[in-house]
Amino acid sequence: MPPLGLWPVAWLALAPLVAAITEAPTVWRAAGRGYLFAFLYLGAVWYWTGVTITTWSHSWIGWFAWLGLTAIEAVYYSAWAGAAWFAAQRLTGGRRILTLAGMWVVMEWLRAQGALTMPWAQLSYSQFRFLPLIQIADFTGAYGISFLIVCFNTALVVGWLYRSRRSAWRHAWMAAAAAVVLSLYGLARMQVAEHGRSMVVAVMQGPPQVGDTTPTVDAQLQLISHLTQQAASARVRPALILWGESAAPDDPVYNADMRRWFQNLADESDAALCVGARIQNPLTLKSSNGAVTFQPYHAPVERYNKMQLVPFGEYIPYRRLFPPWLSNSFRFFQHDVTPGAAQKPMSIMLPAGPVEVGPFICYESMYPRYARRMTQQGATMLITQSNDAWFQSRAAMWQHVSAVVLRAVENRRWIARATSTGVTCIVDCDGRIVRRAPVGAPGWIEDRATLQQGKTIYTRFGNWFVLLCALLCAALLFAAASRRRRNI
């Protein structure tokens, strides 16, 4: 996983796990080995969750959260290991390979279902630099890439378990050939020229906004004004200026002075100005994490509220079950963020006509459904905002970006990503990071994004590949059970 960049290792690294599981004497031993693997793997990948939560809570709850999160998420891999052992007792050869890989896909999909899930470190994200291969995501989603990797690892093990060098080579070569053929498709797809309208986008990067390091309101407004005016006076004037999550120092919707300030800045820049903000309704006292777009000359203000909230970061799950002394000891915040109720693109008015832009905020980039829904509803470009200064880790920053790259390929949409401190970037519809700002320093980047109209197979039909894997596994296991009954 990022930031090491050792993506080729993924094509071999699971082979010992598959061997340990399929040769386990009992299903419980296999499940235990799967759990141990996942605990070590996930715990190492997201070590920064402990650092992050400990930093902003000023307590040891961060390491309790890290331990609890890792222990819970490892259950998914344990269930896969148990199911893989069961399948390995009944299937051989290519059927075993396909079934174990299909089960892995279903397991990764389950990790992205529900409010308390953490679909970080999916196997496909390790390949975000391997551009030719990840192009198949426009058909299968990111899950197709995970399927190929598990197939290759399992093919190596299946041949070895047969104690047949010929069988090992045959299965490995078949899996490798599939990866090569699909990579050739990717190379061909990357040569297809983009057509359609375009729009210049400026993506801004502000100072870290975490706890004691947050600048004063005046300092934040001064920085926003200075960099926005710089971008607006560039040789090619941007049509959209994008600031990161919570970039506004105060509520730009219900605070009249702050709303007027951003509207004036949009007028002066002659560009749509999208800024992340915490918004609090004075009537209901409910707060939301939103993206607010101001357009020049008092065009309608567009707004999107984040729907997928971060557990223990934006809300406390099952808050009522925690005793008061525990909440006080770990300094739980008093009020949860309210999730958004609807998802639709923002309309940006340009002289040539409106442009539909699809926002999703921070953690939502780990869930394919948000970018997909925006594209389904007509977004010709996607934007995402994040405050990655909270991570306290560059590893987490790059792990976050790896998912954004896959969202771009899945939907064939350019994505502009603005953060408080890296990785601020612009990704084209083939997954290339075409522009990137230096991490840790305020600044801005810009590029001309092509506005795509078409919809990919994945955008149209969603997780059909996951369903196909589930049906394939069920069919192969049912056929194996039927053969055993006939033999008896």
Side-chain angles (χ1 to χ4, degrees):
M1 288 294 164
L4 296 180
L6 302 178
W7 59 265
V9 176
W11 296 86
L12 302 172
L14 289 180
L17 170 66
V18 174
I21 288 170
T22 53
E23 290 197 314
T26 66
V27 65
W28 298 111
R29 190 76 64 84
R33 292 174 179 178
Y35 189 90
L36 177 61
F37 158 79
F39 193 91
L40 296 174
Y41 164 60
L42 296 176
V45 168
W46 58 43
Y47 73 92
W48 44 265
T49 57
V51 176
T52 299
I53 300 175
T54 296
T55 299
W56 59 253
S57 67
H58 303 289
S59 72
W60 287 99
I61 192 176
W63 294 110
F64 287 109
W66 169 83
L67 181 65
L69 173 66
T70 307
I72 292 171
E73 287 295 311
V75 172
Y76 290 95
Y77 292 82
S78 178
W80 170 82
W85 182 90
F86 180 85
Q89 307 310 305
R90 291 155 178 80
L91 300 171
T92 59
R95 290 187 294 273
R96 179 186 292 185
I97 294 170
L98 294 176
T99 301
L100 267 61
M103 287 177 171
W104 184 282
V105 166
V106 174
M107 179 270 290
E108 286 198 336
W109 177 81
L110 289 172
R111 285 189 59 208
Q113 307 307 307
L116 292 178
T117 53
M118 177 67 166
W120 207 275
Q122 303 274 39
L123 195 56
S124 56
Y125 297 157
S126 67
Q127 307 296 301
F128 84 106
R129 296 283 194 188
F130 190 7
L131 293 181
L133 180 70
I134 68 172
Q135 301 307 310
I136 65 169
D138 62 0
F139 279 91
T140 64
Y143 301 111
I145 301 160
S146 295
F147 181 85
L148 276 177
I149 296 172
V150 178
C151 272
F152 188 81
N153 279 273
T154 308
L156 296 176
V157 174
V158 165
W160 176 70
L161 291 178
Y162 286 163
R163 306 296 193 269
S164 167
R165 182 173 298 179
R166 180 181 300 175
S167 176
W169 279 111
R170 184 174 71 250
H171 288 104
W173 277 114
M174 289 175 64
V180 169
V181 169
L182 292 172
S183 296
L184 291 175
Y185 158 76
L187 287 172
R189 178 60 183 81
M190 292 170 65
Q191 304 307 313
V192 176
E194 298 178 354
H195 300 285
R197 296 168 57 192
S198 62
M199 179 176 69
V200 177
V201 181
V203 187
M204 321 304 289
Q205 180 167 282
Q209 300 176 24
V210 181
D212 298 336
T213 64
T214 302
T216 64
V217 170
D218 288 341
Q220 291 183 66
L221 292 178
Q222 184 177 5
L223 177 69
I224 291 172
S225 176
H226 174 66
L227 292 181
T228 299
Q229 290 173 2
Q230 275 191 359
S233 60
R235 184 175 59 85
V236 180
R237 182 183 293 273
L240 171 64
I241 299 175
L242 178 66
W243 281 91
E245 180 184 20
S246 302
D250 205 340
D251 185 343
V253 175
Y254 294 105
N255 183 323
D257 291 337
M258 191 62 58
R259 182 186 181 105
R260 190 179 305 110
W261 189 90
F262 277 104
Q263 183 62 64
N264 289 337
L265 186 60
D267 293 341
E268 294 171 4
S269 305
D270 194 24
L273 180 64
C274 183
V275 59
R278 282 297 177 96
I279 303 164
Q280 182 166 4
N281 189 317
L283 298 178
T284 64
L285 299 182
K286 293 183 177 180
S287 64
S288 57
N289 184 355
V292 185
T293 299
F294 296 88
Q295 307 200 53
Y297 313 120
H298 299 275
V301 174
E302 298 282 337
R303 176 178 162 188
Y304 167 73
N305 289 338
K306 185 180 181 181
M307 302 176 70
Q308 187 77 42
L309 303 181
V310 180
F312 295 99
E314 293 174 309
Y315 77 104
I316 304 298
Y318 310 110
R319 179 189 288 271
R320 294 179 181 178
L321 300 180
F322 291 106
W325 65 266
L326 185 63
S327 299
N328 294 333
S329 298
F330 291 123
R331 301 185 184 183
F332 287 164
F333 42 84
Q334 295 298 312
H335 302 288
D336 293 340
V337 175
T338 302
Q343 187 177 17
K344 66 182 184 66
M346 297 177 174
S347 294
I348 297 178
M349 305 306 298
L350 297 180
V355 171
E356 300 297 314
V357 173
F360 54 98
I361 298 175
C362 191
Y363 190 47
E364 292 178 329
S365 62
M366 308 306 298
Y367 294 81
R369 57 181 172 268
Y370 294 103
R372 175 176 169 259
R373 286 175 187 170
M374 284 294 183
T375 309
Q376 274 186 317
Q377 295 183 36
T380 56
M381 180 182 176
L382 301 172
I383 58 174
T384 182
Q385 300 159 301
S386 185
N387 181 13
D388 284 1
W390 284 97
F391 284 140
Q392 308 288 310
S393 164
R394 293 200 179 191
M397 294 178 184
W398 278 105
Q399 290 165 16
H400 206 176
V401 170
S402 68
V404 174
V405 169
L406 267 296
R407 303 294 85 86
V409 179
E410 286 170 344
N411 301 283
R412 294 296 173 193
R413 293 295 187 268
W414 282 63
I415 299 181
R417 183 175 192 264
T419 72
S420 56
T421 173
V423 178
T424 294
C425 59
I426 299 174
V427 183
D428 73 7
C429 61
D430 292 329
R432 300 183 189 89
I433 299 177
V434 295
R435 292 286 185 274
R436 179 167 68 87
V439 175
W444 59 280
I445 55 176
E446 72 169 10
D447 209 323
R448 182 176 294 277
T450 303
L451 307 175
Q452 301 288 339
Q453 297 288 340
K455 293 181 175 62
T456 66
I457 296 296
Y458 181 76
T459 302
R460 291 178 184 275
F461 301 107
N463 293 317
W464 65 270
F465 185 73
V466 178
L467 178 60
L468 178 64
C469 286
L471 294 175
L472 176 65
C473 293
L476 291 174
L477 289 172
F478 178 79
S482 298
R483 284 194 298 271
R484 293 186 69 177
R485 284 196 298 268
R486 287 196 300 269
N487 292 336
I488 293 174

